[in-house]
Amino acid sequence: MVLVVILKALADENRLRILNLLRKGELCVCEIEAILEITQSNASRHLNKLKNAGIITYEKKSQWVYYKINETFVKDNALLFDYLNNYMDNNSQFLKDLQRLKEYKNNRITCA
Amino acid sequence: MVLVVILKALADENRLRILNLLRKGELCVCEIEAILEITQSNASRHLNKLKNAGIITYEKKSQWVYYKINETFVKDNALLFDYLNNYMDNNSQFLKDLQRLKEYKNNRITCA
DNA sequence: ATAATATATGAGTGTAATCGAATATAATCA
DNA sequence: TGATTATATTCGATTACACTCATATATTAT
């Protein structure tokens, strides 16, 4: 069932933290690794799971793979997406991650 | 993280099917067993998981335990609940279960 | 008191999911 | 070409999950 696949993909703290970051725009794998302090293989795996559920899409640009939220998914699951948005905007863990994202973006232009 | 607990509790087909039935009102364990054709221990365990996530509550009435959706959860997670409601109202599997619920209610007053 | 019914839970099993470390692959750069 | 970087994937270990069968507990009915 599609709904189960979506909910399973969302039901993981690391994947929710990734999604939280992607709300602010596309990111490559190594940026996600650095900001969330998770291993490379883990980041890649979680992104793959979100992609397989249709929640995010990716685009390869030279050696980097940029992941972003799938706008079709957002349209098709607007209420769910609004719920997550609202939850993340009011949760300290997610806000902390967004702060780290901002610092990361201010300090570095490229990856690693 | 509370959100992960909620999403994990929802990320299972049997539990979603139970929740779908409970949208129409409270039910005891043996009614759920019969309508969804799942084993008694399975029904009980899934209900327990939904209860631990705060999604449902229960009330013991003589030998029966009636489970129902937790109105506080609905208020606190309105967008998520609306999303699920909408999804279930448009999914044939869930609609089929509701049909079975209706037939069950028409044919029997008590449990088993 | 005994039997029957409703529910919860323990034990065991098989399968899913998660993770880190290592390796494979592809692209870039010197 | 050879070294470096970014990403995906494989492997092995560990843990979590869902399920069935059997048992325990509580309540009701006879």
Side-chain angles (χ1 to χ4, degrees):
Chain A
M1 192 187 304
V2 176
L3 180 55
V4 174
V5 173
I6 292 172
L7 292 171
K8 267 190 202 292
L10 294 173
D12 177 270
E13 181 157 342
N14 280 327
R15 288 193 289 273
L16 288 174
R17 292 177 72 201
I18 290 173
L19 211 56
N20 177 48
L21 297 183
L22 295 181
R23 293 193 299 147
K24 303 305 175 186
E26 67 177 15
L27 290 170
C28 69
V29 182
C30 62
E31 289 173 321
I32 292 167
E33 283 175 57
I35 296 165
L36 299 184
E37 293 179 296
I38 58 179
T39 64
Q40 185 272 321
S41 70
N42 231 347
S44 177
R45 258 192 284 258
H46 284 309
L47 286 162
N48 189 54
K49 192 142 191 175
L50 288 169
K51 177 180 71 66
N52 285 338
I55 300 171
I56 62 175
T57 60
Y58 70 96
E59 190 185 347
K60 182 153 191 173
K61 301 181 185 175
S62 73
Q63 74 264 50
W64 294 283
V65 178
Y66 283 83
Y67 286 90
K68 65 180 168 209
I69 289 177
N70 181 358
E71 288 307 320
T72 304
F73 177 85
V74 173
K75 282 197 197 86
D76 292 346
N77 300 273
L79 287 169
L80 176 59
F81 196 74
D82 289 349
Y83 170 74
L84 293 175
N85 257 321
N86 182 64
Y87 194 101
M88 289 171 173
D89 284 337
N90 292 282
N91 177 281
S92 63
Q93 164 78 76
F94 290 124
L95 292 174
K96 204 180 296 175
D97 286 343
L98 291 183
Q99 185 58 36
R100 273 185 62 89
L101 170 63
K102 193 180 279 182
E103 288 162 13
Y104 184 90
K105 289 284 190 181
N106 286 342
N107 296 336
R108 309 177 218 203
I109 312 299
T110 65
C111 197
Chain B
M1 193 185 304
V2 176
L3 180 55
V4 175
V5 173
I6 292 171
L7 292 171
K8 268 190 202 292
L10 295 173
D12 178 90
E13 181 157 339
N14 279 328
R15 286 192 292 272
L16 287 174
R17 291 178 73 202
I18 290 173
L19 211 57
N20 176 46
L21 297 184
L22 295 182
R23 292 193 299 148
K24 304 305 174 187
E26 67 177 15
L27 290 171
C28 69
V29 182
C30 63
E31 288 172 322
I32 293 169
E33 283 175 56
I35 296 165
L36 299 184
E37 294 180 295
I38 58 181
T39 64
Q40 185 271 321
S41 70
N42 231 345
S44 176
R45 262 185 250 271
H46 283 310
L47 286 163
N48 189 54
K49 191 140 191 175
L50 288 169
K51 177 180 71 63
N52 286 338
I55 299 170
I56 62 175
T57 60
Y58 71 95
E59 191 185 348
K60 183 152 190 173
K61 300 182 186 176
S62 73
Q63 75 266 49
W64 294 283
V65 178
Y66 282 84
Y67 286 90
K68 64 179 168 211
I69 289 177
N70 181 359
E71 286 307 320
T72 305
F73 177 85
V74 174
K75 282 197 195 86
D76 293 346
N77 300 272
L79 287 168
L80 175 59
F81 196 74
D82 288 349
Y83 170 74
L84 293 175
N85 257 321
N86 182 65
Y87 194 101
M88 288 170 173
D89 283 337
N90 291 282
N91 178 282
S92 64
Q93 165 77 75
F94 290 123
L95 292 173
K96 202 179 297 174
D97 286 343
L98 290 184
Q99 184 59 36
R100 271 186 62 90
L101 170 64
K102 192 180 280 180
E103 288 162 13
Y104 184 90
K105 289 283 190 181
N106 286 342
N107 295 337
R108 309 178 217 201
I109 313 298
T110 64
C111 197

